[in-house]
Amino acid sequence: MLRICLVFVLLLPSVTLAAERLSGQVNVIDADTWDVGGIRVRLHGIDAPELDQACQDDEGSTWPCGAWVTQEVRQLFQGKTASCMPVDRDRYGRVVARCMYGVQDAADQLVRLGLAFAYRKYSHAYESAEKEAKARHVGLHRQQVQVPWVHRAARKSASSNGCRIKGNISAKGEKIYHIPGQTFYANTRINTSSGERWFYSVVAARAAGWRASRRRNLYESCMKLIRVKAGSSERVYA
């Protein structure tokens, strides 16, 4: 009897969360994170580019895909009324929920329009919607896009790695990467909103269209780390 009661107590918070349906006016923070009636909500089962994420077009030029997709979602849902059923709470304290706009599943609509990806790590509900969007080459599927979870992992690695590579764009539009130990590394500032990027290997920088800085007096320890990571796969495209 005690065991049954203990299990019930442990499950009670999730049962309570699932029972509290949210509804209210939508304020789009980014493509997959909304305020619904003043409550911060992360849409369940999908993932969209980060607000500051840059992507490449077919010609190798960068474009602010994160800002673009957020604007598209705002045009669709900003100020509308949504009803959301919570399923979890994430580590940032956001309510993870399935949200409906009228009779439509908002997440399903975003995936079908190519504005988000099926987040298979947490749900397989939107796989068919993503396949349809890919087949029609709509939204993000018209270009090469690094899926958001890979982008975040690369950014986290770059921020914690002692040997970070800066992908700078010069005043003449040249894409140049700088490695710690080079002359201009410390003074180089990266602005992701203008298409500049961080890389954690030379392979990734070159594959994205950046060339090496001609200032090549590198630290040996940095080179060793780059050689170790150069053989790993850096990019995943959806």
Side-chain angles (χ1 to χ4, degrees):
M1 182 65 178
L2 179 60
R3 182 179 298 174
I4 294 173
C5 291
L6 180 59
V7 171
F8 178 78
V9 171
L10 291 173
L11 290 177
L12 185 59
S14 61
V15 171
T16 303
L17 178 64
E20 296 175 351
R21 182 179 290 273
L22 306 171
S23 64
Q25 192 174 62
V26 172
N27 178 36
V28 175
I29 306 304
D30 62 28
D32 54 28
T33 302
W34 301 354
D35 280 347
V36 179
I39 303 297
R40 186 61 51 89
V41 171
R42 174 66 164 81
L43 298 180
H44 176 67
I46 67 170
D47 202 7
E50 300 295 304
L51 185 59
D52 64 348
Q53 185 172 337
C55 301
Q56 282 188 298
D57 61 22
D58 293 335
E59 297 178 351
S61 299
T62 56
W63 60 288
C65 57
W68 173 80
V69 77
T70 297
Q71 184 59 34
E72 291 294 304
V73 175
R74 282 183 178 143
Q75 290 180 6
L76 288 170
F77 291 104
Q78 184 73 16
K80 304 293 178 60
T81 298
S83 176
C84 304
M85 178 60 74
V87 297
D88 201 353
R89 190 178 293 275
D90 69 12
R91 60 178 176 168
Y92 303 108
R94 299 176 298 186
V95 175
V96 180
R98 295 186 180 94
C99 293
M100 304 294 292
Y101 168 58
V103 297
Q104 291 186 324
D105 182 336
D108 182 79
Q109 186 175 359
L110 294 183
V111 175
R112 290 185 187 279
L113 291 172
L115 302 177
F117 301 96
Y119 206 177
R120 293 170 178 81
K121 179 179 178 180
Y122 297 102
S123 174
H124 295 279
Y126 305 111
E127 287 183 335
S128 61
E130 184 176 286
K131 289 178 181 178
E132 178 185 320
K134 283 183 177 180
R136 293 189 292 119
H137 300 287
V138 296
L140 296 166
H141 301 291
R142 288 178 293 188
Q143 308 288 351
Q144 286 186 325
V145 178
Q146 188 178 46
V147 290
W149 52 91
V150 173
H151 171 77
R152 287 193 297 270
R155 185 172 63 182
K156 182 179 180 181
S157 176
S159 65
S160 62
N161 195 330
C163 184
R164 297 176 296 173
I165 297 175
K166 297 179 177 180
N168 175 247
I169 300 177
S170 73
K172 296 180 179 180
E174 288 186 285
K175 297 178 179 180
I176 304 170
Y177 66 81
H178 301 263
I179 299 173
Q182 293 177 325
T183 303
F184 298 118
Y185 180 85
N187 293 328
T188 299
R189 299 289 179 265
I190 299 303
N191 181 2
T192 57
S193 65
S194 66
E196 296 179 329
R197 297 172 54 184
W198 290 90
F199 298 98
Y200 65 96
S201 84
V202 169
V203 172
R206 289 175 177 170
W210 266 256
R211 69 162 175 82
S213 170
R214 295 188 176 92
R215 305 282 183 168
R216 299 186 63 86
N217 45 323
L218 311 179
Y219 293 127
E220 181 61 26
S221 59
C222 184
M223 288 296 293
K224 182 178 179 181
L225 181 57
I226 291 169
R227 285 196 294 270
V228 169
K229 290 197 172 185
S232 63
S233 176
E234 310 293 347
R235 297 176 65 82
V236 175
Y237 294 102

